Amino acid sequence: MTFEAKHLLGIEYLKPEEIRTVLELADQYVDLNRRTQKHSEALIGLTQINMFFENSTRTQASFELAGKRLGADVMNMSMQASSIKKGESLIDTALTLNAMHPDILVVRHPQSGAVNLLAEKVNCAVLNAGDGRHEHPTQALLDALTIQRAKGRLHRLSVAICGDIAHSRVARSNILLLGKMENRVRLIGPPTLMPAGIADFGVEVFDDMRAGLEGVDVVMMLRLQRERMDGGFIPSEREYYHRFGLDAEKLARAKADAIVMHPGPMNRGVEIDGTLADDINRSVIQEQVEMGVAVRMAAMDLLARNLRTSKQEGIYV
Amino acid sequence: MNLILHNARLIDPEAGTEALGGLRISDGKIAEILDQTIDVNSQACRTKQIHLIDCNGKHLAPGIVDVGVKVCEPGERHKESYRTAGLAAAAGGVTTMVTRPDTIPAIDSPEILEFVTRRAAQDAPINIRHMAALTRGRNGREMVEIGFLRDAGAVAFTDCDRVVQDTKVFTRCLTYAHSLGALVIAHPQEPLLSEGAAATSGKFASLRGLPAVSPMAEKLELERDLSLVEMTGACYHADALSTAAALPALERAKQNGLDVTAGVNIHHLTLNELDVGDYRTFFKLKPPLRSEDDRLAMVEAVASGLIDMIGSFHTPQDEESKRLPFEEAASGAVGLETLLPAALRLYHAGAIDLPTLFRALAYNPARRLGLDSGRLCVGAPADLVLFDTNVPFVLNRFQLHSKSKNTPFDGQRMQGKVLATFVGGKQIFGGES
């Protein structure tokens, strides 16, 4: 079992073996979570602080539950309402919290790289719960676990990621993870929502959804933010749905057993057809939520093990 | 008093030569160019009126004329003052510093210009000239009193990193400036495309998830400016160019005989976008660092003479404005002291020879601004830099003289050091050699 990372800042910094380690352990936590008695003591005595500088219900709940099931003392801080408004810098906030000796910091921030900056200034394990357009590593890991359980493997699959790639940290983390695990990745979306230089990431880019979905094993839809729909990036919601919304007819181009994923929250009728999202034969959207808790438990457990080892060795003083 | 600097490798950017020899300096000016056969033990040399300095075969060149230095007076003296900028310049071999008007408030009236002129004269040991804003408050709406400011000593007019978006206003500024023979300097970057950008669009910016601008933004704005220069006949300098895409337009304009010159910042000649690494904010510049292909194209353009000047684009920022998430962090880097060692990287890489380098660092900027320095000829002011091209050192940012320590070269290996700096024949930096 290999997992050497001190923080989980992004998929970019993980080796394929480390990804496999997280997924193996998460698989075990899935079983634990399905029992009535869901408690483990992996994080007993440790303090976990969730710092969310950006609104989040789902991710924050998932991290909170993961921490509590592992026995950590969990505290949620909604940073939008706090000292940031009083002009305190990110580093000062980090140092203040650091003085309270947390063991695990879970951070979401609206700016790319902010979590990296914070991780340099504290001496506990830092988990990136999404920073700007940069990365959202636990989302990519839970997607990977979902795919692995549905498809029986996590390599040599053809995966289509569709929608607003340019503004999506979920897309970036998934592209990196799927690439590291040797899958073929296709990106589908209007060119205005495609980041520059994306073809250099070793992916295939399509602006025709039907062509892009041809023969894929996995269809991963992304959320389209409301503020991007009003003519700035795409002409209108209905034109977007017509060209890039996932419906049964477009999905028919994919393999017959292709699964449909979405990181949530969904805009039914904008990027995905409502009936399709609820189709238990195709959609694994609810499984993704379930895997989310397990993956976060696994990631925090592994980081805590490294934390304990390094504290014994005196690295963290 | 007479001063003789002998046994030096003289770099003459005007003639494009490098030769052993010496200089006799009298009344602050170069009085005689000596060849290597001078007998320093001769009667004349031994008389007490002559002070002899043996340069030990090191390089002696005209002092650097650095156009576009930001000294944060008035407004942000905690970032840089005329005293500290002067010390940094002296240590960097910069003998003439041409300051930017993007202070708080902007240098947009004769009164503010007079204030900075006085401050500069009080506190700095080197020559300082000032540029003034082109429009009031650098707001791009009304032109400044170009005539009065010119009479008060402004050597050029620029709104710095703010582009005058209103083409009509910019046209009138160019026309009016032209009637007075005033130089207008712009940093062409299409403003709407560049808005909010922290990096150059491409694979690296996408991987880091940073808002980015296409390198085409520079070409777009430069082409607009050059069309207006063609229309008005103004003297125009495009500063802080950084992309290969902009160069053909520049070349065309020069071939067509427009009164156009161009400059590049040292950081765009020596660093590329990948140096940002994991969000290192000391590498956040404006315009942002570009691809390696762009960097190479800029180096080649300096070597060929298409780009006329190299500047440090010295922009002091305090720790607080850099210790922030990358997008929020302030742009800019200090450069006065590292300009020459960084430029010598190009020399060591075999990309640019020393006379060409000093053409871009001293001769061309001085000529463009109408200054008589930047040359090694009889009658020119004895503004000189003596340096060793080979001394290796590792840069420690806390040893810089600037108040702000935001250099991207911290911890990097450099090769080449300033040994002594002379302004008007007076040594202002370095020990006796």
Side-chain angles (χ1 to χ4, degrees), chain A residues 12-13 89-91 109 111-114 116-117 133-134 172 176 195-197 200-201, chain B residues 201-212 278-279 322-328:
Chain A
E12 188 191 345
Y13 314 101
S89 80
L90 177 65
I91 288 179
H109 197 281
Q111 284 184 337
S112 305
N116 294 52
L117 178 67
R133 309 171 185 182
H134 178 218
R172 275 177 188 68
L176 292 171
D200 297 336
F201 281 67
Chain B
S201 61
K203 185 184 178 188
F204 180 74
S206 291
L207 187 63
R208 287 285 171 272
L210 292 171
D278 268 337
Y279 304 100
K322 284 287 189 184
R323 287 177 65 200
L324 291 169
F326 199 83
E327 279 173 60
E328 275 176 38

Side-chain angles (χ1 to χ4, degrees), chain B residues 317-337:
Chain B
Q317 298 290 1
D318 53 15
E319 301 285 303
E320 274 60 46
S321 45
K322 284 287 189 184
R323 287 177 65 200
L324 291 169
F326 199 83
E327 279 173 60
E328 275 176 38
S331 305
V334 292
L336 279 168
E337 246 172 298

Side-chain angles (χ1 to χ4, degrees), chain B residues 14-56:
Chain B
E14 195 175 8
T17 57
E18 189 185 328
L20 264 180
L23 297 175
R24 185 166 67 80
I25 291 155
S26 175
D27 297 328
K29 292 191 187 311
I30 298 173
E32 195 182 349
I33 314 261
L34 311 163
D35 61 24
Q36 64 189 101
T37 55
I38 180 184
D39 179 7
V40 291
N41 295 315
S42 71
Q43 185 64 37
C45 293
R46 271 189 280 120
T47 59
K48 280 189 181 144
Q49 277 80 26
I50 292 181
H51 179 50
L52 273 174
I53 294 180
D54 184 349
C55 299
N56 292 320

Side-chain angles (χ1 to χ4, degrees), chain B residues 280 282-283 338 345 393-398 405 407-414:
Chain B
R280 293 194 288 172
F282 280 13
F283 292 81
T338 48
R345 284 185 171 182
F393 68 101
V394 175
L395 190 94
N396 174 356
R397 68 188 184 109
F398 295 106
K405 313 293 184 191
T407 172
F409 296 112
D410 186 38
Q412 289 198 25
R413 288 163 204 274
M414 314 290 276

